[in-house]
Amino acid sequence: MPDYTVVVISYNDAARLPRAVRSVLRQSLRDLEVIIVDDASTDGTPEVAARLMEADPRVRYLRRETNSGGCGAPRNDGIDAVAAPYVMFLDSDDELPRHSCKSLLTEIERTGADFVSGQISRLFESNGRLQPYYPSLFARRRVVEGIREEPELFLDCFSTNKLYAVDRLREWGLRFPEDIHYEDHVFAAGLYARSRRFAVVPWVVYHWRRARTDGSISLSIGDMENVRQRVIAARMSDSVLRAHGAEDLVPHRQRRFPLQDLRVYLNPLPARDLVWVKEFASVVRPYLEEIPAEVLDALEPLERVCCRLILDDRAEDLRIAAGSLTGPRAAPRAAVRRGGRTYWGTSVSPGLDITRLRLAELPFSASRLRHEASELTSDGERVRMTVRTYDPFGALPPDWTAFLQLGAERIPISPEPSGDGGYVSHLLFTPSGKCDPRIGFTRTSDGHTTTDRIIADPHTEAIELPGCRLQVEGYAAYLCVRPDPSPQEVWRRVRRALLRRFNTPRNKLRAYKVLIKVLPRRGNLALFESDVGNSYGGSPRAVYEELRRRALPIEVVWSAAKGRGDFPSDVRLVRRGSWRYLWTMARAGYWVDSHGFPLDYPKPRGTRYLQTWHGQGIKSIGFDAPDLRADFDRPRAQWRAAVARWDALVSPSAEFSRIFVPSNGYTGTVYRYGTPRCDALVRGEATGDVRKRLEISSGQKILLYAPTYRDRVKGSGQSVRVDLELMADELADEWVVVLRTHPVERYSTPEHLRHFVRPAGSYPEINDLMLASDALLTDYSSVMCDYAITGKPMVFFIDDWDDYRLSERGVHHDLPAIAPGPCVTTSAELVAVIRRLPEVHASFADRYTAFRELWCADERGDAAARIVADFFGDVR
């Protein structure tokens, strides 16, 4: 008897069945069997199964006499045939990751659970992308003592991402219904109703493959019978819960219907005709009416709007609202503001309340307009169309100019008032290349601009043009321009592919090592770089501007990462990593940067390298940091060689010298003159108007939130740990948060928080943010040391302090013991501190003084001048 059985059900899927079966046979768990249950296929499935059995004795084959028309009957046949203690189900068009069986078996034996559920991921065959299904449900590995403990798990109604104890299924008499589609919903309801203990694991255990063309039941959503079957399954699931004395759980299970089941049909609804939409609404309305009002009220605003429109039988409005559920989430045509609330459409109803989206409170640059295109025609080269613009939230000021944006090109347009608060534009343009056409409005008083994509009829036929075509994409049918694979375009792609094969890091390093041997060094050429080319800022900028002030005869070239355009127009640039960049590195007599020029690139003989470094603070650094403290020789040797290139190091403080210098094995010159980038903070000199640029009124206080990254999850956005939604609810009347994420992070501020949060991750100069702010919120970021120069309040959100200091990054200081402001671990504590910030700040006066003495004692506002005098003093 094997330890584990995987039941693979199949119907007329001979082509994909071997892939599914082999994904089981290749599992790291070897003691298992596969039972193929053929639902009376009429293709070559029997022959394929015979070959699979012949190739591996672990494969068994069962064939039904007649087709059941669903998945329930073949799965029940599989349960009846199982001899192993545990069973899992697999559809013939899907597959299992290699360690699914072993990991699930280990977990169910470890926990003694009735079943184990794991993450299921969609695998899109068109591009190989994996998309986890409700990853928040599977974020933690845990044992759940019955569904009442976590009723949100009703969202996981799959039968295929679970391993079941067979004796439990037989003891309960739990079977799949055989006369309906979506039988797994009903099966899951019975499973949850009976189970008193089950486990959840966070790793992916099932790949749900999504083909370009798929005739599966779950994707036949254009068929009205499919809608009826889903409603039937929902009713049967509720009945199962009631039959097992779980009436109280029915509303929790019903939450799935508008949240998941309904969304399947709402997403493509904009492309349906009105007859289909009305029939769809009539099918789902009776069940929707049975769902308690509190369940619908808890939905996201646009989902609740769609439910209300179904209940009110407003088919055309429903189609428009459904278009805002996906993609860029288009604005409505109209909205009503009354009593401080915002409502979708032209009527006031609790079900149409969209206040939580804050669309009427966004700053102008983030405000939302709706642009609908019609009457699209072409003369073969140019496109003519009419665009109707709706301003539902009254965002447009009296003074504005408008344009059509095609990639980098902006074409001025002249929208005319339509008489109902909107505008009509008649456009004639020539598309080319690849872009998403947008309509933009610029407020002439301050230059701020808002743009939105253009929506068209979903049935708009593509317009073929020289080298490209204008078409619609997505459920909501946004206009886009896409290049045609012309011979010229094919050649360009081939050329780029060939260049990529030649432009490898290894080839560039080889070429660079030759260049530094043969090229003469230019003593008056300097290569400057800040934040690996991502900005024109920090200490390199301060040193550069001091060079210019002194008019020293040094030609400076700045390194700029690809796509970075926030450099002054009079600065000479070279793209980081390009061949010209290597040429400049090889010839420059001076290197100046804040992080480190590319590793493994030796410094040319005679070149002098000034390392200004980008911060100081409590975090471990150098060979004590996570990426180097492990016992791996190559990365440590690589960094040791990189540090050896430095000729001079800027040290902001004695404490920095005590920690940083030995942690990096540096033995060269150390400049203890303060920090060039902090000169502006000492002198209070800002380079721009933060309030104007970020659209913050003079009456609002600014809280600069600058968290540092977490080493284990760089780029995930998980450094933003405070509850911004709670803060917005409690503090938005008085405060605005300016969010300065670390350069390695990727965090997108949710639109419904943009009225309160101003993203500033790409703001060119952090000093300006510090000077404009009223207080700093951070965690372990080095920004705390620079900010101390300002003397303004600081608050530290350190909910993961123990993890960060013990296992994540490591620290050299006990932050709670030295922090010049309160350390909090919950967002509620944070809000309470912000509300009484002046008195809290005053209570930390002695600590603040000690903190400044530790990190800022050398900051006198002349660091750049003294460093330039020393490092470049011999330039003639």
Side-chain angles (χ1 to χ4, degrees), residues 185-422:
H185 295 190
V186 185
F187 180 84
L191 182 71
Y192 286 130
R194 293 171 171 90
S195 176
R196 295 294 174 265
R197 178 182 175 85
F198 59 92
V200 178
V201 296
W203 52 84
V204 176
V205 301
Y206 194 90
H207 284 163
W208 179 16
R209 298 186 71 101
R210 306 297 293 269
R212 287 184 175 89
T213 56
D214 197 326
S216 65
I217 292 170
S218 61
L219 294 182
S220 303
I221 55 177
D223 181 3
M224 196 58 64
E225 182 58 27
N226 186 285
V227 183
R228 294 189 180 93
Q229 288 288 316
R230 200 178 284 262
V231 173
I232 291 170
R235 290 187 185 281
M236 289 181 65
S237 300
D238 295 346
S239 298
V240 167
L241 292 178
R242 293 186 181 104
H244 286 84
E247 175 80 31
D248 59 309
L249 290 175
V250 171
H252 294 286
R253 203 221 67 82
Q254 288 177 330
R255 175 174 172 264
R256 176 194 163 88
F257 188 77
L259 198 63
Q260 176 62 31
D261 297 335
L262 210 57
R263 278 294 296 270
V264 172
Y265 306 102
L266 290 176
N267 288 345
L269 204 67
R272 309 290 188 201
D273 60 60
L274 279 177
V275 174
W276 196 98
V277 175
K278 287 186 74 67
E279 186 178 0
F280 162 74
S282 69
V283 171
V284 301
R285 187 181 302 117
Y287 183 70
L288 205 57
E289 289 172 338
E290 297 175 16
I291 297 178
E294 56 268 24
V295 174
L296 299 182
D297 290 343
L299 297 173
E300 290 299 312
L302 286 173
E303 293 167 344
R304 186 174 62 248
V305 165
C306 288
C307 290
R308 184 71 263 163
L309 296 174
I310 291 172
L311 293 171
D312 293 346
D313 196 20
R314 294 165 58 179
E316 177 58 29
D317 286 342
L318 174 61
R319 193 162 59 170
I320 294 171
S324 299
L325 292 172
T326 59
R329 301 171 71 91
R333 288 176 175 173
V336 176
R337 297 202 73 191
R338 185 170 299 174
R341 312 295 297 178
T342 306
Y343 300 91
W344 192 96
T346 57
S347 57
V348 175
S349 165
L352 302 178
D353 191 327
I354 58 172
T355 307
R356 278 178 55 201
L357 297 179
R358 304 294 180 183
L359 293 172
E361 304 165 44
L362 298 175
F364 180 74
S365 59
S367 60
R368 301 302 306 275
L369 305 175
R370 183 182 182 94
H371 311 289
E372 296 183 4
S374 61
E375 303 173 16
L376 276 78
T377 60
S378 172
D379 61 9
E381 293 187 358
R382 299 177 300 176
V383 173
R384 189 182 301 275
M385 68 180 178
T386 299
V387 174
R388 177 75 178 270
T389 295
Y390 299 87
D391 182 15
F393 308 107
L396 290 179
D399 56 324
W400 50 259
T401 58
F403 57 87
L404 169 67
Q405 183 169 323
L406 300 171
E409 181 185 10
R410 288 187 173 184
I411 304 170
I413 61 175
S414 301
E416 298 290 336
S418 60
D420 57 359

Side-chain angles (χ1 to χ4, degrees), residues 65 115 139 149 154 189 193 197 221 312 316 417 507 543 579 651 724 806 808 859:
E65 293 291 331
F115 67 92
E149 189 174 282
F154 275 119
R197 178 182 175 85
I221 55 177
D312 293 346
E316 177 58 29
N507 286 345
V543 171
W579 288 102
S651 172
L724 291 172
L806 296 175
E808 166 71 30
E859 303 294 354

Side-chain angles (χ1 to χ4, degrees), residues 86-128:
Y86 302 106
V87 65
M88 187 177 186
F89 300 103
L90 172 65
D91 293 343
S92 60
D93 52 346
D94 299 328
E95 59 188 340
L96 302 181
R98 187 167 185 269
H99 301 293
S100 293
C101 296
K102 189 172 187 177
S103 64
L104 290 174
L105 178 62
T106 300
E107 194 70 5
I108 202 168
E109 291 181 338
R110 183 184 73 86
T111 62
D114 299 328
F115 67 92
V116 180
S117 182
Q119 177 73 68
I120 187 169
S121 279
R122 297 177 179 90
L123 195 162
F124 295 92
E125 295 185 355
S126 58
N127 54 19

Side-chain angles (χ1 to χ4, degrees), residues 599-628:
L599 301 176
D600 295 328
Y601 281 70
K603 185 182 60 175
R605 182 175 299 177
T607 295
R608 299 189 66 211
Y609 185 172
L610 173 64
Q611 174 57 260
T612 65
W613 206 245
H614 51 278
Q616 60 174 335
I618 69 167
K619 297 188 292 186
S620 64
I621 196 71
F623 294 110
D624 297 329
D627 50 347
L628 291 177

Side-chain angles (χ1 to χ4, degrees), residues 6-254:
V6 178
V7 174
V8 182
I9 64 170
S10 181
Y11 174 67
N12 284 351
D13 198 18
R16 294 182 293 190
L17 177 61
R19 182 183 65 195
V21 172
R22 287 175 186 138
S23 78
V24 182
L25 299 177
R26 292 170 181 164
Q27 289 289 302
S28 52
L29 177 70
R30 306 302 297 169
D31 189 15
L32 50 72
E33 71 169 349
V34 180
I35 298 178
I36 301 172
V37 183
D38 178 4
D39 200 8
S41 297
T42 57
D43 65 353
T45 296
E47 293 77 11
V48 169
R51 289 195 294 270
L52 290 169
M53 286 192 294
E54 184 179 354
D56 196 312
R58 294 177 295 170
V59 179
R60 294 166 57 194
Y61 175 65
L62 304 178
R63 179 176 172 83
R64 291 181 56 81
E65 293 291 331
T66 58
N67 178 253
S68 68
C71 301
R75 284 182 182 145
N76 287 336
D77 290 350
I79 293 174
D80 293 338
V82 167
Y86 302 106
V87 65
M88 187 177 186
F89 300 103
L90 172 65
D91 293 343
S92 60
D93 52 346
D94 299 328
E95 59 188 340
L96 302 181
R98 187 167 185 269
H99 301 293
S100 293
C101 296
K102 189 172 187 177
S103 64
L104 290 174
L105 178 62
T106 300
E107 194 70 5
I108 202 168
E109 291 181 338
R110 183 184 73 86
T111 62
D114 299 328
F115 67 92
V116 180
S117 182
Q119 177 73 68
I120 187 169
S121 279
R122 297 177 179 90
L123 195 162
F124 295 92
E125 295 185 355
S126 58
N127 54 19
R129 181 171 62 93
L130 280 172
Q131 183 184 62
Y133 175 89
Y134 283 105
S136 60
L137 297 179
F138 304 95
R140 295 182 298 109
R141 183 180 184 180
R142 61 200 187 277
V143 174
V144 182
E145 304 295 339
I147 191 65
R148 281 186 176 83
E149 189 174 282
E150 293 189 41
E152 61 272 16
L153 284 168
F154 275 119
L155 285 170
D156 174 22
C157 282
F158 291 98
S159 60
T160 51
N161 63 329
K162 298 174 178 64
L163 177 66
Y164 308 89
V166 174
D167 59 345
R168 292 287 196 282
L169 297 184
R170 290 174 176 165
E171 173 190 335
W172 296 332
L174 185 58
R175 315 272 295 173
F176 289 91
E178 299 186 1
D179 54 349
I180 64 164
H181 297 160
Y182 303 108
E183 70 295 322
D184 46 353
H185 295 190
V186 185
F187 180 84
L191 182 71
Y192 286 130
R194 293 171 171 90
S195 176
R196 295 294 174 265
R197 178 182 175 85
F198 59 92
V200 178
V201 296
W203 52 84
V204 176
V205 301
Y206 194 90
H207 284 163
W208 179 16
R209 298 186 71 101
R210 306 297 293 269
R212 287 184 175 89
T213 56
D214 197 326
S216 65
I217 292 170
S218 61
L219 294 182
S220 303
I221 55 177
D223 181 3
M224 196 58 64
E225 182 58 27
N226 186 285
V227 183
R228 294 189 180 93
Q229 288 288 316
R230 200 178 284 262
V231 173
I232 291 170
R235 290 187 185 281
M236 289 181 65
S237 300
D238 295 346
S239 298
V240 167
L241 292 178
R242 293 186 181 104
H244 286 84
E247 175 80 31
D248 59 309
L249 290 175
V250 171
H252 294 286
R253 203 221 67 82
Q254 288 177 330

Side-chain angles (χ1 to χ4, degrees), residues 731-749:
L731 302 172
D733 290 341
E734 186 179 1
W735 289 84
V736 168
V737 168
V738 171
L739 177 56
R740 176 74 172 199
T741 50
H742 192 279
V744 305
E745 278 289 39
R746 298 292 180 269
Y747 177 81
S748 179
T749 303

